[in-house]
Amino acid sequence: MTDQGRSDTQLSRRSLLAGGALLVAGAGLFCSRPARAATTLLNVSYDPTRELYAEVNSNFSESWEKARNDRRIVVKTSNGGSGAQARAVLEGVPADIVSLGLARDIDMLAASGLLKSDWQKQFPYNSTPYRSTIVFLVRKGNPRGIHDWGDLIRDDVKVITPNPKTSGGARWNYLAAWGWALHRKDGSEASAKAYLKKLFAHVPVLDTGARGATNSFVQRGLGDVLLAWENEALLAAHDLGPDQFDIVVPSVSILAEPPVALVDRTVDGRGTRPLATDYISYLFSAEGQNTGARHYFRPADPAIAAKYEDRFPKITTFDIASLGGWKTVHARHFAAGGIFDQISSS
């Protein structure tokens, strides 16, 4: 990517966080040959992937059209809180592809018959092209002296995190905090529940998605610390406000694995399965993996990830399986009457 391209990307990122709209178009306005109808794909995604998929969509469309110069394609992405996006697909949004914040949201679509129950076996790395984790974004110089999860419940600290009922990122935030509290010396489910209750008492506003929470912290100036996807924190600290924010890496966090899947009912009904399959496969290609790393997502391919070791902070993580897997976690924490409801209402 040229210096000008990087500059344009950064300007795009700034405009998005300021509330600009994302539009992905696939063809020029003027063309000497007759106009041809374009094949379209819709990728319904979660909040912090806006800049990533803007570049992916453009690059994929260009390379695909060069290989098949008799075809024109347009790839569009819809973004929002992961849980809200999954419900939108259930209610009829015609997604060809879903790239959501957690596997549980795609499992919900599979349970409703929109895709196969073994969807995670269709692509490499459990259909997860990129990984992330949860870190803290603080004001420049870390004026509150925030260093680990225990600092988040001090009287002088306000925490920004989105709503676990609507946001996949918020669930990862919640579970990262839960795992830290649970695995402390003398930690227990009772002490972890007590910690989460105190933590959410320090949250002044629950945005519906991760990007909304980032805007609240970065643009509106709310809170002292943002619990964030690592890619969102790196974007803010390096590209949006290098003189405004610092990243704090906690002692332990969770390995966040946001997967992708074909929506079988849509791609078979529209005849887009081959194109949608090529699109997802592109995410796992060397070009797709490098694109992810440029946007601060950790590549799933170990060989490519090794090239970017200096780009990402070292952090100790645990995975969702260590907490029982998404089925167990959802029932205990996020279903109606679960632990999150209990700590929110009591």
Side-chain angles (χ1 to χ4, degrees):
M1 182 179 292
T2 65
D3 291 341
Q4 181 62 47
R6 291 189 182 93
S7 177
D8 291 344
T9 298
Q10 291 175 5
L11 286 172
S12 173
R13 288 169 173 163
R14 291 189 181 96
S15 65
L16 279 167
L17 277 181
L22 172 64
L23 175 62
V24 180
L29 292 176
F30 301 100
C31 185
S32 59
R33 60 191 176 189
R36 295 162 293 162
T39 301
T40 62
L41 286 180
L42 176 60
N43 174 12
V44 172
S45 192
Y46 64 109
D47 251 348
T49 64
R50 299 165 192 263
E51 296 80 17
L52 167 66
Y53 282 120
E55 183 173 349
V56 164
N57 294 350
S58 176
N59 292 348
F60 171 75
S61 297
E62 181 179 353
S63 63
W64 200 92
E65 289 176 6
K66 281 182 179 178
R68 302 163 179 82
N69 58 17
D70 61 332
R71 297 281 301 276
R72 188 166 68 88
I73 62 171
V74 175
V75 185
K76 299 179 180 179
T77 300
S78 165
N79 294 92
S82 184
Q85 291 288 80
R87 286 191 292 275
V89 174
L90 280 176
E91 292 167 2
V93 170
D96 300 277
I97 299 140
V98 285
S99 52
L100 298 178
L102 45 91
R104 168 56 175 61
D105 288 336
I106 302 180
D107 284 337
M108 183 172 66
L109 303 181
S112 298
L114 297 183
L115 60 149
K116 297 179 179 67
S117 60
D118 65 347
W119 60 270
Q120 281 192 290
K121 297 179 180 179
Q122 294 181 14
F123 296 95
Y125 308 112
N126 288 322
S127 292
T128 304
Y130 312 111
R131 295 167 177 158
S132 193
T133 188
I134 303 304
V135 297
F136 305 162
L137 188 69
V138 298
R139 309 291 174 192
K140 192 67 179 179
N142 194 8
R144 297 295 190 197
I146 295 167
H147 300 291
D148 208 352
W149 295 98
D151 297 319
L152 303 185
I153 58 174
R154 294 199 328 247
D155 290 343
D156 62 337
V157 173
K158 294 295 183 185
V159 180
I160 301 299
T161 184
N163 190 340
K165 289 291 188 178
T166 55
S167 167
R171 295 189 181 194
W172 289 115
N173 293 351
Y174 172 106
L175 292 171
W178 175 270
W180 171 82
L182 185 65
H183 295 116
R184 295 184 70 199
K185 184 179 180 180
D186 300 325
S188 65
E189 290 208 354
S191 64
K193 184 175 178 180
Y195 170 75
L196 265 293
K197 181 176 175 59
K198 291 179 181 178
L199 174 61
F200 276 89
H202 287 252
V203 178
V205 59
L206 286 173
D207 291 289
T208 58
R211 180 54 60 89
T214 301
N215 285 343
S216 289
F217 185 77
V218 171
Q219 299 294 327
R220 299 171 61 195
L222 299 181
D224 304 295
V225 55
L226 172 71
L227 305 188
W229 289 92
E230 179 183 54
N231 57 284
E232 282 281 275
L234 289 169
L235 170 65
H238 292 172
D239 294 350
L240 300 168
D243 298 321
Q244 301 176 51
F245 308 107
D246 289 329
I247 292 176
V248 172
V249 178
S251 61
V252 66
S253 192
I254 195 164
L255 178 65
E257 298 181 291
V260 299
L262 296 172
V263 182
D264 293 316
R265 183 176 295 181
T266 303
V267 298
D268 289 337
R270 298 185 62 236
T272 55
R273 178 179 289 274
L275 178 59
T277 300
D278 284 351
Y279 179 85
I280 293 181
S281 296
Y282 175 84
L283 302 178
F284 295 93
S285 71
E287 184 176 349
Q289 292 284 284
N290 282 297
T291 301
R294 283 198 299 273
H295 290 274
Y296 306 112
F297 288 86
R298 296 180 182 235
D301 184 325
I304 296 178
K307 294 167 35 181
Y308 294 96
E309 285 184 350
D310 293 340
R311 191 173 184 81
F312 300 102
K314 302 249 187 274
I315 185 168
T316 300
T317 60
F318 57 91
D319 62 17
I320 192 68
S322 69
L323 299 178
W326 275 115
K327 184 176 181 180
T328 296
V329 164
H330 175 77
R332 286 185 52 76
H333 292 272
F334 307 119
I339 292 174
F340 178 69
D341 282 350
Q342 294 168 28
I343 65 172
S344 300
S345 60
S346 58

